[in-house]
Amino acid sequence: MSDRLQTIITSVVTIVVIFVLWEIGVRLFNIPEFLVPTPTAVLAKMAEKASLFSMHFYVTLYETLLGFLLGVVIGIACASVIVYSRFLANVIFPVIVILQIVPKVAIAPLFLIWFGYGWESKMLIAFLIAFFPIIVNTVSGLRSVEPEMIELVRSLEATNWQIFRKVRLPNSLPYIFSGLKISITLAVIGAIIGEFVGGNEGLGYLIIVANFELDTPLMFGSLVLLSLMGLVLYGIIELLERLLIPWSTTEEEKVVAVGM
Amino acid sequence: MQSRKKIIEIQHLKKIYPSKNAPILALSDVSFDVYEEEFVTIVGQSGCGKTTILKIIAGLLPKTEGTVLLGGQPVTGPRASSGIVFQQPVLFKWRSVLDNVLLPIEILRRNRGDYLQAALDLLELTALTEFKDRYPRELSGGMQQRVSICRALIHDPPVLLMDEPFGALDAMTRSEMNVELLRIWSERRKTSILITHSITEAVFLADRVIVMTPRPGMIADIVEIDLPRPRLAETRVSPRFNELVQVIGRKIGLKYI
Ligand SMILES: Nc1ncnc2c1ncn2[C@@H]1O[C@H](COP(=O)(O)OP(=O)(O)O)[C@@H](O)[C@H]1O
Ligand SMILES: [Mg+2]
């Protein structure tokens, strides 16, 4: 625990020092605000436009969470189907591979045409990006069961459902969680991509507006909130992991890296 | 012995593992019986088909030819009437020791509460009471294997099947586990089959030792072990014990023993 505390203190101090140096640097060299605002100017902007920021923040959060949850549900369901049916695996895999190969940023405009300029298209882009690490990790988790575990429960006349519920699913939880941790940060990116492409809400939209108006403090404020969102969501998943699977040891987690 | 009930009857058992190029003949013609409450060990070199026999008895593997009866019934698939212990403990790492022991009860959809006391008694018997709420990774190899023996016994199956249960343990722990297993067996009196490639272990535990030839698996001989029970650590240094070990070693085909 004291190790953890030390880590936290070190991180916080580092961040504070960076901000202080930043503030001093900008003032010292007289850098104009539209290039780099001081941290205090950003904070002032955030305080001034608090209700604007919070409104756009919640929109992005909403799109991110919906896309992520959709990714979790469909990802785990598809993974289970793939593990249990060779036929359906052969049907699903090519589709997934194609979806993964197509750059998400490039299909975002198409999604806006299909699903409109509201939250739905953003949610779907977030989903599309978040989905892949979940399905890949879940499949490898469900498959990485010791054969003898299955033999043991089979010798007790276990049904297929029991084998799934009592053996494969719990065994895959550490894998699923490492997928979730990758996915949640990707889901934020997905929502932002959607907002960049079109729409009139969300922190991504706010960044585009700030860009047009050369309102750099507004842009930095949005960036701060986006980082906070990613950080907190990631933290929540890590907390859930610690609460739900305290038996897990990190070295057995398989982190599957994915590009966009 | 002969007047007792036969629990396991195996006649002319043959097993061929299908394979595209060259099917593997794992067991050519194996016949033996195991009587009620008897402790039989099967000893033979690695690859002679010991695990294959056990899995066929457990109904986990189909046979190619022959008859296998368990409690008078032909074995057609897995049946909960046998408890199984593997070489590795195969504990579920997400379950506490107690929950691991109770796993069979959940799979069999019986009432957990009815077996809680039985589970605690088994943990007491194997000196694991204070570890009941721990996760498996917090236990030593010998303790983990004791948990898996408790798990095999919890639903009170008439038959206990063990496949090299102490193979992964160091020699000292292994000798201790042997004594401990006999203590459990003398209390619970299960019809037991234990596979091993250690001749001393086979002799120490068994009423009868089934000696197998190297591949393809056949029975070289079945040796009655007339050592008195209860068997203790001292049994291993008795002249009769060493004599039996020598006899079995020669039957397996070992030149030096
Ligand atoms: N699933 C399998 N497929 C093909 N051959 C197998 C399989 N399992 C075991 N065998 C072969 O059958 C023989 C007996 O194996 P096994 O019963 O595991 O022996 P033991 O337990 O005595 O070491 C070995 O030669 C092994 O290579
Ligand atoms: Mg074996």
Side-chain angles (χ1 to χ4, degrees):
Chain A
M1 252 309 116
S2 82
D3 260 11
R4 247 185 94 64
L5 196 68
Q6 198 177 352
T7 313
I8 293 172
I9 291 172
T10 316
S11 316
V12 170
V13 168
T14 308
I15 291 169
V16 169
V17 168
I18 289 173
F19 278 117
V20 170
L21 289 177
W22 174 2
E23 181 89 32
I24 293 171
V26 171
R27 285 173 190 271
L28 207 63
F29 299 107
N30 255 328
I31 298 170
E33 186 168 73
F34 72 88
L35 279 184
V36 184
T38 59
T40 43
V42 174
L43 281 178
K45 189 69 162 192
M46 289 173 77
E48 178 200 338
K49 299 255 165 100
S51 67
L52 179 81
F53 275 117
S54 89
M55 178 214 137
H56 290 290
F57 177 87
Y58 282 116
V59 170
T60 304
L61 180 66
Y62 182 67
E63 296 160 353
T64 301
L65 284 179
L66 282 179
F68 173 73
L69 290 177
L70 203 62
V72 172
V73 173
I74 295 183
I76 293 178
C78 280
S80 312
V81 168
I82 284 174
V83 169
Y84 273 90
S85 159
R86 181 178 291 266
F87 170 73
L88 287 173
N90 291 339
V91 172
I92 295 175
F93 255 127
V95 177
I96 291 171
V97 168
I98 290 169
L99 283 179
Q100 183 54 20
I101 287 169
V102 176
K104 281 0 147 253
V105 188
I107 36 175
L110 199 58
F111 268 49
L112 267 75
I113 294 175
W114 287 347
F115 303 105
Y117 284 71
W119 58 269
E120 296 91 341
S121 54
K122 282 77 173 175
M123 172 192 79
L124 286 170
I125 296 165
F127 154 72
L128 211 58
I129 296 186
F131 166 78
F132 194 71
I134 296 176
I135 190 167
V136 172
N137 279 282
T138 309
V139 166
S140 62
L142 291 172
R143 283 203 175 140
S144 71
V145 178
E146 279 174 68
E148 286 173 336
M149 283 192 176
I150 309 269
E151 284 186 341
L152 184 89
V153 292
R154 274 221 302 135
S155 80
L156 294 159
E157 303 172 44
T159 59
N160 276 336
W161 169 247
Q162 282 180 318
I163 294 175
F164 180 77
R165 181 61 197 76
K166 303 272 185 199
V167 187
R168 288 194 191 275
L169 191 62
N171 185 74
S172 68
L173 284 177
Y175 296 78
I176 293 180
F177 267 103
S178 58
L180 295 184
K181 282 191 272 187
I182 303 168
S183 286
I184 192 70
T185 40
L186 291 180
V188 178
I189 295 172
I192 296 297
I193 289 173
E195 290 166 359
F196 275 179
V197 175
N200 52 16
E201 282 180 311
L203 291 173
Y205 164 78
L206 205 57
I207 288 175
I208 298 289
V209 171
N211 192 25
F212 274 123
E213 297 172 0
L214 276 186
D215 189 346
T216 320
L218 187 68
M219 205 185 264
F220 270 89
S222 308
L223 286 176
V224 168
L225 287 177
L226 273 178
S227 315
L228 274 180
M229 187 190 297
L231 210 63
V232 169
L233 291 176
Y234 186 93
I236 290 173
I237 295 202
E238 210 167 52
L239 189 70
L240 279 178
E241 181 181 27
R242 226 173 276 145
L243 292 176
L244 293 178
I245 52 170
W247 44 268
S248 166
T249 45
T250 40
E251 74 262 26
E252 69 200 346
E253 287 184 23
K254 299 273 177 335
V255 176
V256 179
V258 278
M260 286 215 308
Chain B
M1 190 68 69
Q2 303 303 319
S3 61
R4 276 205 259 162
K5 207 167 109 194
K6 285 177 184 173
I7 295 293
I8 297 166
E9 295 162 76
I10 297 175
Q11 275 142 31
H12 308 298
L13 175 62
K14 181 175 182 175
K15 175 67 187 180
I16 298 172
Y17 283 104
S19 151
K20 263 210 193 95
N21 342 326
I24 297 164
L25 177 65
L27 300 171
S28 61
D29 182 3
V30 171
S31 304
F32 66 90
D33 298 325
V34 182
Y35 297 91
E36 189 166 25
E37 297 190 359
E38 192 184 15
F39 201 130
V40 165
T41 55
I42 302 179
V43 66
Q45 287 175 4
S46 189
C48 71
K50 304 182 297 294
T51 298
T52 305
I53 294 181
L54 205 77
K55 285 193 175 165
I56 291 173
I57 297 172
L60 291 169
L61 200 63
K63 60 180 190 287
T64 309
E65 275 173 35
T67 326
V68 179
L69 303 180
L70 184 63
Q73 302 288 314
V75 172
T76 51
R79 267 191 294 162
S81 52
S82 43
I84 299 183
V85 181
F86 295 99
Q87 177 165 359
Q88 301 300 328
V90 198
L91 297 180
F92 289 24
K93 56 181 177 283
W94 53 89
R95 288 172 165 260
S96 68
V97 165
L98 182 63
D99 286 340
N100 265 289
V101 174
L102 286 166
L103 174 80
I105 300 310
E106 283 174 36
I107 302 291
L108 294 167
R109 298 204 166 81
R110 296 189 194 163
N111 183 357
R112 199 183 138 99
D114 294 347
Y115 286 86
L116 193 58
Q117 193 52 49
L120 293 174
D121 290 348
L122 280 168
L123 290 173
E124 173 92 56
L125 185 66
T126 49
L128 286 167
T129 304
E130 58 177 310
F131 298 97
K132 67 180 168 60
D133 297 318
R134 301 286 190 90
Y135 285 113
R137 67 175 149 85
E138 300 172 275
L139 272 57
S140 71
M143 289 157 85
Q144 292 189 8
Q145 199 54 291
R146 297 208 300 264
V147 175
S148 84
I149 293 171
C150 293
R151 180 182 57 193
L153 292 171
I154 184 67
H155 58 298
D156 203 19
V159 175
L160 189 55
L161 304 174
M162 293 168 277
D163 188 358
E164 305 198 26
F166 310 130
L169 304 179
D170 62 87
M172 267 195 292
T173 316
R174 188 171 186 154
S175 312
E176 272 186 11
M177 293 292 289
N178 281 341
V179 176
E180 193 149 359
L181 179 62
L182 281 187
R183 199 166 52 79
I184 297 168
W185 178 75
S186 65
E187 281 207 13
R188 306 278 158 141
R189 284 288 163 177
K190 302 287 174 198
T191 306
S192 304
I193 298 183
L194 181 140
I195 284 168
T196 178
H197 54 242
S198 154
I199 300 172
T200 50
E201 184 171 81
V203 171
F204 183 75
L205 296 171
D207 294 317
R208 283 187 301 150
V209 176
I210 295 176
V211 186
M212 302 216 20
T213 58
R215 219 156 70 96
M218 282 191 297
I219 293 181
D221 202 356
I222 299 182
V223 181
E224 292 269 349
I225 305 299
D226 50 12
L227 297 166
R229 292 189 189 269
R231 294 181 194 159
L232 303 162
E234 300 86 75
T235 310
R236 290 199 191 88
V237 293
S238 72
R240 181 62 187 148
F241 182 83
N242 285 309
E243 207 175 308
L244 287 163
V245 169
Q246 303 272 342
V247 167
I248 289 169
R250 276 194 294 275
K251 286 186 199 293
I252 291 181
L254 301 178
K255 285 206 194 83
Y256 310 102
I257 184 152

